[in-house]
Amino acid sequence: MATTRTQAPPKISASPALERTSPAPGDSYVQSFARGLEVIRSFSAQSPRQTLTEVAGRTGLTRAGARRILLTLQTLGYVESDGKLFRLTPRILDLGFAYLSSMPIWNLAEPVMEALVEQVKESCSAAVLDGTDIVYVLRVPTHKIMSISLGVGSRLPAYCTSMGRMLLSALPIEEMMQVLQASDRTARTRYTVTDVNELAAKIAQVRKQGWSLVNQELEEGLVSMAAPITDRAGHTVAALNVSGQANRSSARIMQETMLPQLLEAAQTISRRLSLQRN
């Protein structure tokens, strides 16, 4: 229906992670910095360019507050504008690179992942848990196996992904249940498990067997297996997976032919990580 005014877009949460109560400003919480991060996160593949009004609407800030933050980010080189629309610049990648370069695991993992892809002829990824999502930190693709494009920084729900269930299995049970309850457990396909108790049972099985398999729950035709990457203390710090199309390799065939190589690759990365000095 036509309107005479442009409506502000709906407010988005500050993070796809578990919803948290924002702490009060104080010595341990810099509210202006937190708001700056909210502005950065308001840009996405769906909203790569935004007006000032759109940024304010998506972050819940006033136009004046959003304008100050955008101009600050523009001065620092993280945002650019044509006078009306704002967008992030490639310099924003420095923030993500700081995380990747500070963690030796990723340099150690990449050659192992490349060797695994050469062995199994399927795509391989590594991810960490962030709230209710997994975040991709490395990916070595072969064929395009998903309708969505995945790369470093991509997010997927943890409850219906092999890496997500692998990472959830490493959490204390109470915390794992909190993550499941906070998740948007939308049925992605006719195979997606959305019931909390059924998911908890599947994750308990993952914890027991030490690996995870998800068959067409995230996307029809997609089969994925994951194994844990652990640190020197034996704590799971990431998950490694291989993914393929069910019409090429069924879940049973993937388990029989690729699981040993996947587990070996995850163990190799874990051993190399344990030898690294902090």
Side-chain angles (χ1 to χ4, degrees), residues 166 169 201-211:
M166 191 74 255
S169 74
K202 286 185 173 295
I203 293 169
Q205 179 62 29
V206 170
R207 186 182 300 113
K208 179 180 179 181
Q209 68 192 17
W211 53 274

Side-chain angles (χ1 to χ4, degrees), residues 152-262:
V152 173
S154 296
R155 287 178 173 269
L156 289 175
Y159 76 95
C160 62
T161 55
S162 63
M163 288 191 288
R165 289 183 186 171
M166 191 74 255
L167 294 165
L168 288 173
S169 74
L171 297 179
I173 293 177
E174 183 178 352
E175 185 177 349
M176 179 266 292
M177 291 298 292
Q178 289 175 349
V179 173
L180 290 178
Q181 290 163 355
S183 299
D184 177 14
R185 299 183 307 280
T186 302
R188 299 292 187 109
T189 74
R190 54 184 166 154
Y191 304 106
T192 309
V193 176
T194 59
D195 179 75
V196 169
N197 292 328
E198 190 174 352
L199 285 167
K202 286 185 173 295
I203 293 169
Q205 179 62 29
V206 170
R207 186 182 300 113
K208 179 180 179 181
Q209 68 192 17
W211 53 274
S212 171
L213 187 149
V214 170
N215 187 5
Q216 305 186 71
E217 293 190 46
L218 177 67
E219 185 170 299
E220 295 249 3
L222 179 71
V223 183
S224 178
M225 293 187 301
I229 297 174
T230 57
D231 62 13
R232 186 182 305 177
H235 301 139
T236 297
V237 295
L240 186 73
N241 88 337
V242 290
S243 300
Q245 284 286 358
N247 59 9
R248 289 200 314 268
S249 301
S250 67
R252 179 182 61 81
I253 291 174
M254 282 187 66
Q255 182 177 334
E256 291 175 353
T257 62
M258 302 180 198
L259 180 59
Q261 292 96 322
L262 172 65

